[in-house]
Amino acid sequence: PARFAAEFCGAARVNRNPWRTLRRHPRLAVAGALLTVVAAAVAWSWQASSAGNDGIPATDLSINTPLGVAVDRRGNVYFTEYANNRAWRVNAAGRATVLAGTGIAGFSGNGGPAANAIIQAPRNLVLDGDRSIYMVETTTDRVRRIDLSSGIIEHVLGNGQPRFDGDGKPGTETGFSEGLGLAIDRQGDLIFADTNNFRIRRLPRSGGPVTTIAGTGTRGYSGDGGPALQAQLGRTSGLALAPNGDLFLFDVDRQLIRRIRQGVITTVAGSESATALEGAALEVRLGSSTGMSLDPAAGNLYFTEESRDTLRQLNLASGRISIVAGNRTQGSSGDGGPALQASLANPTGVAIDEAGNIYVAEATGNRIRRVTRQGIISTYVGGKVQYAPMAGTRFGPLLFASR
């Protein structure tokens, strides 16, 4: 039994199907059947208790590792809960409901209700207007789309293989790796970072074919002033699109922001030799970032800095960078006061609503913070009630998240 348990868990750790182990140990069939029944009972119990938490005030919700955040024109806030394999929606009245995921790690449920689907380690989100939301699952290297009217989830990108296997194929037959940046262009096409293949690529809303729009596939930093397709890129960890079609990308390798305008790439922020934290964009040292969002009304590009626990702003008109939230001390203090005096805990995703309020996901603070246009910070999601735990919820990221 001990050897069987080790083999069963070992199969899970490398993302194989551990239940195949039962077929190689027929005398353990009864134990396997009992284990299945127990797991089903636990899952039912967990789902029943989680349903009771739907619709509670968002500040009463306890969450685990929120990473991506988005907000629509109606004021609904969406976020991923990476460690608990869920995505949530918070309505304008501040009440939270599960958008996708049962809390168990896996990949199933396409074509059915998103709230009943099995998802795994969801990370970034991007909205396609009020129609749908795209969500990347970084450990399965796939993107799924949820119709916001019907609640139906579908698989639109990724074949589960993290390698570059060529352009010109439908989205679901195309390999990509991680996809740490997502954006939607004016045609409704999905722009995504093929992070570990050092490319930026496009998936038409029709489903294909996928094409590369930037990067040669060779890791590096070159090509400024020339065609983006001939440029070398590092690992891209964030994307943001401007109304005029400018695409901003964050190079996490060199901690720079680059811009693609009409097919030409340039560096617009960051310097590896700089020490200043604020000032002219090309004379400022940036930290690692995984979240970017553009406020087109104000002409500001916002990006989080996990390594410095801050939120920064690039004013596109003046070309200057400033800190708008975070005192560079890790924590989640300062609610009700100036955002510049507050502490943040590993900020990741960032989004801006129609009124100019900024929403920031804190990965280790386990909350979503909101910064008003007046610069006052508060907790918008996260707080008091422990969301119903389940073994699969905790074990999912532990067993399956790494390659």
Side-chain angles (χ1 to χ4, degrees), residues 126 134 143 157 182-184 188-192 201-204:
V126 67
Y134 291 81
V143 172
L157 176 64
L182 300 176
I184 297 289
D189 296 344
L190 178 70
I191 309 300
F192 65 98
R201 305 172 77 184
R202 173 185 282 114
L203 170 69

Side-chain angles (χ1 to χ4, degrees), residues 349-370:
V350 59
I352 298 99
D353 68 15
E354 295 284 296
N357 298 308
I358 307 167
Y359 300 82
V360 179
E362 289 185 17
T364 56
N366 294 317
R367 64 189 66 210
I368 309 293
R369 310 283 288 278
R370 180 172 65 179

Side-chain angles (χ1 to χ4, degrees), residues 248-309:
F248 296 89
L249 59 100
F250 196 97
D251 180 338
V252 73
D253 284 354
R254 286 171 175 76
Q255 300 177 351
L256 306 170
I257 296 174
R258 304 178 81 178
R259 181 189 65 202
I260 301 172
R261 172 178 287 175
Q262 297 180 345
V264 176
I265 192 167
T266 54
T267 298
V268 296
S271 169
E272 294 183 272
S273 61
T275 58
L277 299 181
E278 297 183 293
L282 289 170
E283 299 173 5
V284 168
R285 180 80 176 186
L286 306 183
S288 60
S289 173
T290 57
M292 296 178 68
S293 188
L294 190 84
D295 180 0
N300 294 320
L301 179 69
Y302 293 93
F303 57 98
T304 57
E305 284 190 308
E306 291 181 74
S307 58
R308 292 198 178 100
D309 298 301

Side-chain angles (χ1 to χ4, degrees), residues 44-278:
W44 177 87
S45 173
W46 176 84
Q47 289 173 344
S49 60
S50 70
N53 283 336
D54 269 3
I56 70 170
T59 51
D60 285 349
L61 191 65
S62 180
I63 56 177
N64 194 347
T65 322
L67 295 184
V69 63
V71 58
D72 67 20
R73 287 174 287 194
R74 296 187 178 93
N76 296 304
V77 175
Y78 305 84
F79 67 92
T80 57
E81 194 184 4
Y82 180 89
N84 282 338
N85 306 303
R86 297 187 202 90
W88 293 80
R89 171 167 41 201
V90 179
N91 66 18
R95 303 194 76 84
T97 55
V98 173
L99 176 70
T102 65
I104 302 170
F107 182 77
S108 68
N110 294 309
N116 296 337
I118 305 297
I119 67 176
Q120 185 167 313
R123 190 158 182 146
N124 289 7
L125 295 169
V126 67
L127 283 157
D128 179 11
D130 294 328
R131 294 184 297 181
S132 55
I133 192 164
Y134 291 81
M135 173 179 65
V136 64
E137 298 173 41
T138 52
T139 61
T140 66
D141 298 301
R142 292 182 173 97
V143 172
R144 295 206 253 185
R145 180 171 62 202
I146 302 168
D147 185 290
L148 293 176
S149 297
S150 66
I152 299 300
I153 192 169
E154 59 180 327
H155 170 213
V156 297
L157 176 64
N159 60 17
Q161 300 300 314
R163 62 178 180 269
F164 178 77
D165 53 11
D167 286 331
K169 294 184 289 188
T172 55
E173 298 175 16
T174 298
F176 77 96
S177 180
E178 275 200 281
L180 293 184
L182 300 176
I184 297 289
D185 70 12
R186 289 174 291 185
Q187 289 74 45
D189 296 344
L190 178 70
I191 309 300
F192 65 98
D194 194 346
T195 302
N196 292 324
N197 292 317
F198 318 114
R199 291 175 169 87
I200 309 298
R201 305 172 77 184
R202 173 185 282 114
L203 170 69
R205 185 170 177 82
S206 61
V210 171
T211 57
T212 296
I213 62 173
T216 64
T218 298
R219 188 176 192 168
Y221 173 66
S222 70
D224 269 5
L229 279 167
Q230 297 176 21
Q232 290 182 349
L233 306 181
R235 297 179 72 249
T236 298
S237 62
L239 294 176
L241 261 170
N244 67 354
D246 286 356
L247 176 65
F248 296 89
L249 59 100
F250 196 97
D251 180 338
V252 73
D253 284 354
R254 286 171 175 76
Q255 300 177 351
L256 306 170
I257 296 174
R258 304 178 81 178
R259 181 189 65 202
I260 301 172
R261 172 178 287 175
Q262 297 180 345
V264 176
I265 192 167
T266 54
T267 298
V268 296
S271 169
E272 294 183 272
S273 61
T275 58
L277 299 181
E278 297 183 293

